[in-house]
Amino acid sequence: MTTEHPVNRRWSMRQRDWAVVFWMSFLAASAGAFVLFGLVNPLDVVNVWADEFSIGVRLAYGLTFAFLYLICLLASSLTMFMIRTGPSSGHVKGEGGHSIPDIQDPSQSNPDLDGENWK
Amino acid sequence: MSQQQDAGDSLYRKDPKVYPRDVKGTFASLRKFAVVALLGLYYVLPWINWSGHQSVLFDLPARKFYIFGTTFWPQDFIYLTLMLIIAGLSLFFVTAVAGRLWCGYACPQTVWTEVFLWIERLVEGDRGKRIKLDASAWNSNKILRKTSKQILWISFALWTGFTFVGFFTPVRDLSHSIFTLQLGSWEAFWLLFYSFATYGNAGILREQVCKYMCPYARFQSAMFDKDTLVIAYDENRGEPRGGRSKSVVPTDKGLGDCISCTLCVQVCPTGIDIREGLQIECIACAACIDVCDQVMDKMGYEKGLISYTTEHKLGAKESHVFRPRTFVYAFLLLSLTVGVFWSINHRVLLRADLLRDRNALYRELPDNRIENVYTLKLINMDFKPHQYRIEILNNNDMVLLISPEPDLEPEEVGNFILRIQAPASAGRGSVKLDVRFSTMEEPIIERSVSTRFLMPFD
């Protein structure tokens, strides 16, 4: 009888990353919407647009939140991407990291490079 | 234990400070030329006038952008979007053909870092001297050199910040307000903020911006293929590497052409070893090519051990500049550029917004006529004053009254009350109206707007 270890049924690292991105963006967009609508009455904005689009107050709230959520998602997913693909993982072709290169005096083992302004 | 293992499970590894060595050569000269040309444009452009305005001025309070004699209004936002798309496509095209040309020669990070490095070399000396100075105890010489460097860096950063604000506030007024100590708080904030960003990015962070912060470096691999120009070390020719004197024939000692002088590493602004292969950190500045060519010359070997090449060429295959990817990028770029410039040249220098007064549906006049009131906003986008003619295109029975007279100065925005009157017998309910606006002087400047005229519904 084989019993699968519970950890194996957990999410992969990538799935966890995305879950964090979606949840944190939601929280940030919610906070943003609270502050924004504390300062701006969507009715004022809706009235300005009334001639061109007839959108209700609820739709104005919803669209603004969706916009904020989208911006937060964009920023969070880009941050995740930048962290996950940093040079610590090394080579662009995925061949592993590089150690810090050794540097030496060029003339140390090359006598003909002596006398240049290279030391 | 390797450095990778030292880093343990941490995402980050502390990198040693990079002291790039000065380099001379063809590509270094090209980069210096790019630095002078681009920074020249940046620092000089705000001081040049064009058609009565600063050549490049983003006048945010007035919501107008002046770019080489053309004024962009908020309604021209689409052009700004298209310009950004053109800039993005240019980057794709250049990257597909020539790799990270942008990073090595034109990116502001590279350009300003080059100037900060030049100042550092001027005050503290080249690589060896800078390492020694940093390692030495604090004495009068070190204090003097470090202080002088900081003063020069901060002055240059402040000048950069001042110029940046000069693209948003007329630069002559800005310099006057600085000398008379009347700088506005927002201007002062942006001046200091941009100076701080320049100082921090080009003076302190340098290669770390390219390695850790720049998204382009991460995305560029999507634009690369095996025919894209990259900087590469010819491993077949160079290995096995090792020191030797000029008189030694490398093959006799079983050596390749790389003499292991490590100068390619010492000149690298991002501190990598190009001999390890194509790396995400390489900004393709070609400093390693310049220095390696000089070493090859000195040793009497053929140049080009490190060179601009393609993956195909390295694998002894044929390389192509023209390929589907470059054709698609070039076609999109060309058609969009031509389209945008044609559209800018043919845009109508008049904007008209006609809004029906929403306080009353209509008004019944004593002479059995119906009147609707509109708010008219006219924008003269031209550099000349104009008188405007307004007419209703699809209804001859209607009379149009406007106050005040629609005369506008150059670039003036005018608000008017427009009354349209029609006999009560002219219709019922909502009638569609086409109103045409044109200038008396140049009939080519004309625009038509549709609106609704309300009559009694019964």
Side-chain angles (χ1 to χ4, degrees):
Chain A
M1 194 180 96
T2 54
T3 48
E4 198 183 352
H5 193 281
V7 169
N8 292 340
R9 292 203 300 270
R10 295 292 212 184
W11 283 357
S12 69
M13 201 63 192
R14 181 166 293 187
Q15 285 169 321
R16 273 180 249 174
D17 281 349
W18 278 111
V20 172
V21 163
F22 275 100
W23 180 233
M24 290 302 132
S25 305
F26 180 83
L27 292 182
S30 306
F34 272 120
V35 174
L36 183 68
F37 291 128
L39 300 172
V40 178
N41 178 6
L43 268 177
D44 299 341
V45 184
V46 171
N47 276 345
V48 174
W49 287 359
D51 263 27
E52 292 172 48
F53 313 98
S54 53
I55 60 168
V57 178
R58 284 189 189 83
L59 190 58
Y61 275 122
L63 285 178
T64 311
F65 175 76
F67 177 71
L68 287 174
Y69 196 17
L70 199 72
I71 298 290
C72 292
L73 272 178
L74 196 71
S76 316
S77 46
L78 197 57
T79 307
M80 176 187 79
F81 174 78
M82 293 297 286
I83 290 174
R84 286 282 171 227
T85 59
S88 56
S89 59
H91 208 277
V92 276
K93 289 156 134 195
E95 289 173 12
H98 295 270
S99 53
I100 295 161
D102 290 325
I103 292 179
Q104 63 186 44
D105 177 349
S107 63
Q108 196 179 311
S109 51
N110 298 289
D112 292 311
L113 294 190
D114 205 13
E116 294 284 336
N117 185 24
W118 283 340
K119 282 188 185 176
Chain B
M1 192 190 265
S2 79
Q3 256 127 357
Q4 249 66 44
Q5 283 165 322
D6 287 342
D9 292 331
S10 165
L11 274 174
Y12 310 105
R13 176 182 72 191
K14 194 168 177 7
D15 286 338
K17 186 175 173 186
V18 179
Y19 295 88
R21 179 190 287 276
D22 192 19
V23 64
K24 289 184 176 62
T26 317
F27 297 110
S29 305
L30 267 176
R31 199 169 44 261
K32 275 175 195 140
F33 174 75
V35 168
V36 171
L38 292 170
L39 288 188
L41 279 179
Y42 177 78
Y43 293 103
V44 173
L45 266 186
W47 295 96
I48 298 174
N49 279 350
W50 198 299
S51 302
H53 288 287
Q54 192 171 308
S55 58
V56 179
L57 177 68
F58 305 105
D59 191 349
L60 294 180
R63 303 178 77 204
K64 280 185 248 176
F65 291 177
Y66 300 99
I67 299 172
F68 300 119
T70 308
T71 309
F72 291 91
W73 297 71
Q75 291 79 10
D76 296 324
F77 183 74
I78 182 76
Y79 291 121
L80 192 67
T81 317
L82 290 172
M83 295 283 193
L84 284 176
I85 295 174
I86 288 177
L89 274 174
S90 313
L91 194 61
F92 292 174
F93 177 69
V94 172
T95 307
V97 173
R100 294 176 71 170
L101 215 57
W102 163 261
C103 300
Y105 301 91
C107 175
Q109 177 65 23
T110 305
V111 168
W112 271 314
T113 301
E114 196 75 16
V115 176
F116 273 68
L117 263 172
W118 176 75
I119 294 174
E120 193 170 75
R121 273 191 207 112
L122 194 74
V123 180
E124 296 183 0
D126 203 11
R127 180 185 149 81
K129 286 183 182 160
R130 296 208 301 275
I131 295 176
K132 274 185 204 145
L133 188 72
D134 276 0
S136 71
W138 283 95
N139 54 26
S140 54
N141 176 48
K142 187 169 176 175
I143 293 171
L144 182 72
R145 284 182 190 277
K146 292 279 176 193
T147 316
S148 314
K149 181 180 84 174
Q150 291 298 336
I151 290 171
L152 288 172
W153 273 8
I154 291 169
S155 312
F156 182 72
L158 283 172
W159 183 30
T160 307
F162 164 77
T163 308
F164 176 75
V165 178
F167 281 100
F168 297 89
T169 300
V171 77
R172 287 180 172 80
D173 298 349
L174 184 71
S175 56
H176 182 258
S177 59
I178 285 180
F179 286 118
T180 53
L181 299 175
Q182 288 173 323
L183 195 62
S185 52
W186 280 108
E187 284 153 348
F189 166 78
W190 281 107
L191 195 156
L192 292 175
F193 180 79
Y194 202 82
S195 307
F196 173 73
T198 309
Y199 175 89
N201 285 334
I204 310 295
L205 291 173
R206 291 188 185 170
E207 83 286 351
Q208 299 184 73
V209 174
C210 313
K211 282 161 81 169
Y212 305 113
M213 290 159 66
C214 173
Y216 169 63
R218 310 293 171 79
F219 288 124
Q220 41 105 17
S221 58
M223 292 162 246
F224 272 45
D225 57 23
K226 290 185 174 175
D227 287 314
T228 300
L229 269 188
V230 291
I231 290 176
Y233 162 71
D234 189 345
E235 212 172 303
N236 295 330
R237 185 184 146 192
E239 299 296 317
R241 64 184 87 148
R244 83 286 305 260
S245 84
K246 204 173 164 180
S247 54
V248 169
V249 179
T251 44
D252 290 351
K253 284 186 97 179
L255 290 171
D257 279 358
C258 175
I259 64 167
S260 224
C261 61
T262 67
L263 281 167
C264 54
V265 182
Q266 297 181 34
V267 295
C268 180
T270 62
I272 59 164
D273 187 345
I274 194 69
R275 296 170 300 175
E276 297 280 312
L278 181 62
Q279 288 156 69
I280 198 169
E281 295 98 322
C282 173
I283 60 163
C285 67
C288 51
I289 299 183
D290 278 336
V291 79
C292 188
D293 280 352
Q294 285 165 37
V295 170
M296 291 292 109
D297 248 4
K298 176 91 182 165
M299 295 299 288
Y301 300 164
E302 197 188 329
K303 286 179 183 179
L305 180 58
I306 303 174
S307 63
Y308 268 116
T309 182
T310 69
E311 220 175 306
H312 269 155
K313 259 191 202 161
L314 279 176
K317 287 181 188 158
E318 209 180 327
S319 209
H320 305 275
V321 176
F322 299 107
R323 42 197 203 274
R325 179 189 293 259
T326 51
F327 268 122
V328 171
Y329 287 149
F331 173 74
L332 287 175
L333 187 60
L334 195 70
S335 39
L336 205 59
T337 311
V338 170
V340 165
F341 280 97
W342 185 87
S343 170
I344 290 176
N345 274 329
H346 287 77
R347 73 193 168 135
V348 179
L349 297 174
L350 162 69
R351 169 96 194 174
D353 289 323
L354 194 58
L355 276 181
R356 236 181 52 78
D357 180 11
R358 274 179 284 117
N359 292 326
L361 287 178
Y362 56 85
R363 199 157 56 170
E364 288 178 30
L365 299 178
D367 57 350
N368 204 21
R369 294 173 75 81
I370 306 295
E371 182 185 79
N372 278 205
V373 180
Y374 299 81
T375 311
L376 170 67
K377 186 163 133 184
L378 273 184
I379 306 175
N380 177 10
M381 292 156 75
D382 206 355
F383 285 125
K384 289 175 268 183
H386 284 298
Q387 277 187 310
Y388 294 93
R389 179 192 297 126
I390 305 170
E391 55 205 318
I392 297 167
L393 293 178
N394 56 348
N395 201 317
N396 294 331
D397 298 336
M398 293 189 173
V399 178
L400 201 144
L401 304 165
I402 185 163
S403 69
E405 280 300 305
D407 301 341
L408 290 178
E409 291 299 312
E411 301 196 332
E412 192 186 351
V413 179
N415 288 302
F416 307 92
I417 299 294
L418 191 70
R419 294 167 195 280
I420 298 180
Q421 297 174 354
S425 56
R428 279 287 166 269
S430 171
V431 178
K432 186 170 175 281
L433 283 189
D434 291 324
V435 186
R436 183 171 177 271
F437 303 87
S438 57
T439 60
M440 303 281 194
E441 303 83 7
E442 290 172 64
I444 197 169
I445 302 181
E446 64 102 10
R447 193 177 275 282
S448 295
V449 173
S450 290
T451 187
R452 295 253 150 216
F453 185 87
L454 293 186
M455 310 275 285
F457 288 84
D458 48 9

